[in-house]
Amino acid sequence: MKNFTYRTCHFNEMEAVTDLFFASREELCLPDRTAAEKITNLIFTKGQVTGGFFENKLLGALGYFLGEPKRDFKNREVLYLYVGAILPGYRLTRLFHHGLLFTLQRYQGTDVTHLRLQAEKANPYTNKLYGRFAQPIAEEKSPRGVPVITYGGSIEDAIAYLSRGKRPKPKPQTPQQYYVEHRIRPCVQPHNLSLLISN
């Protein structure tokens, strides 16, 4: 397993991010490099990009905003995942999984409490993944005209799933807790048992 690293991309990495999006043009439904440049410019202007790297080479990128574009970015308690891409040779790794977890953990404990993601309606894998930590809230078309399902959920639930915690398992109950919870009294010998037996 390769040792991937994750960090927020800087403005001087816009070209590398554009190259990555353009390399994924079929999946992102991009007609040309100019479309990839427009997406990159929008993300760096209004949002941020989390990059997944191996030996300083950009292999994957997640572009997101605080606030939804259709609401003029006013609902800043929502982290809106706008676009994600991974170079073809690395798509079966956990690059996306860990990149999303890295991004969400940056906002854990802040005013950013909700998450929005979109999956192409025709993509069963992504819909299944998102459905594990968020709920479908709308069916619409993406800015690129592709039918998508929008998922919404809490950042805490997504972190719990992605970090494989999936909520802590309850500790096994002690017999005392079990008796109290189920209102069962343990069998206790009467204090005057010896008198009862002798009669």
Side-chain angles (χ1 to χ4, degrees):
M1 180 67 137
K2 292 190 185 301
N3 237 347
F4 300 121
T5 57
Y6 304 91
R7 63 174 171 77
T8 300
C9 293
H10 306 294
F11 277 102
N12 62 1
E13 294 172 303
M14 286 180 71
E15 185 87 17
V17 173
T18 301
D19 290 343
L20 181 69
F21 290 158
F22 187 61
S24 304
R25 59 189 170 276
E26 287 180 25
E27 295 79 12
L28 298 178
C29 304
L30 301 176
D32 51 32
R33 186 174 170 80
T34 304
E37 287 172 355
K38 284 181 182 175
I39 290 173
T40 305
N41 286 334
L42 177 64
I43 295 168
F44 274 95
T45 303
K46 299 283 189 179
Q48 293 188 35
V49 176
T50 296
F53 296 83
F54 179 66
E55 295 179 349
N56 290 321
K57 181 183 177 187
L58 181 66
L59 305 177
L62 291 175
Y64 66 93
F65 306 115
L66 295 183
E68 295 174 272
K70 66 183 177 185
R71 295 193 183 180
D72 253 352
F73 307 101
K74 288 180 181 170
N75 55 339
R76 295 183 64 80
E77 73 281 2
V78 173
L79 188 149
Y80 182 85
L81 183 63
Y82 182 66
V83 64
I86 298 174
L87 289 178
Y90 298 89
R91 289 187 184 149
L92 296 178
T93 65
R94 301 201 33 98
L95 199 60
F96 173 79
H97 186 101
H98 291 145
L100 181 57
L101 179 60
F102 171 86
T103 303
L104 298 179
Q105 285 176 331
R106 289 188 61 210
Y107 295 97
Q108 195 170 22
T110 69
D111 292 339
V112 183
T113 55
H114 290 79
L115 173 67
R116 297 282 184 275
L117 318 97
Q118 288 186 333
E120 286 185 24
K121 198 172 177 181
N123 186 330
Y125 172 80
T126 307
N127 282 287
K128 185 176 178 182
L129 172 64
Y130 292 175
R132 288 183 174 156
F133 55 82
Q135 297 76 42
I137 56 173
E139 287 191 27
E140 50 200 328
K141 287 199 172 180
S142 75
R144 296 177 293 282
V146 180
V148 293
I149 298 174
T150 300
Y151 289 83
S154 83
I155 281 185
E156 290 299 326
D157 287 346
I159 290 172
Y161 174 78
L162 294 167
S163 63
R164 293 296 184 204
K166 297 184 192 172
R167 299 282 178 230
K169 292 182 180 176
K171 292 181 183 176
Q173 291 181 318
T174 64
Q176 177 103 15
Q177 290 169 325
Y178 180 84
Y179 291 137
V180 168
E181 183 177 323
H182 296 281
R183 301 194 189 292
I184 297 172
R185 293 188 60 191
C187 180
V188 177
Q189 299 289 347
H191 70 282
N192 56 354
L193 181 63
S194 59
L195 294 174
L196 293 171
I197 293 173
S198 63
N199 284 340

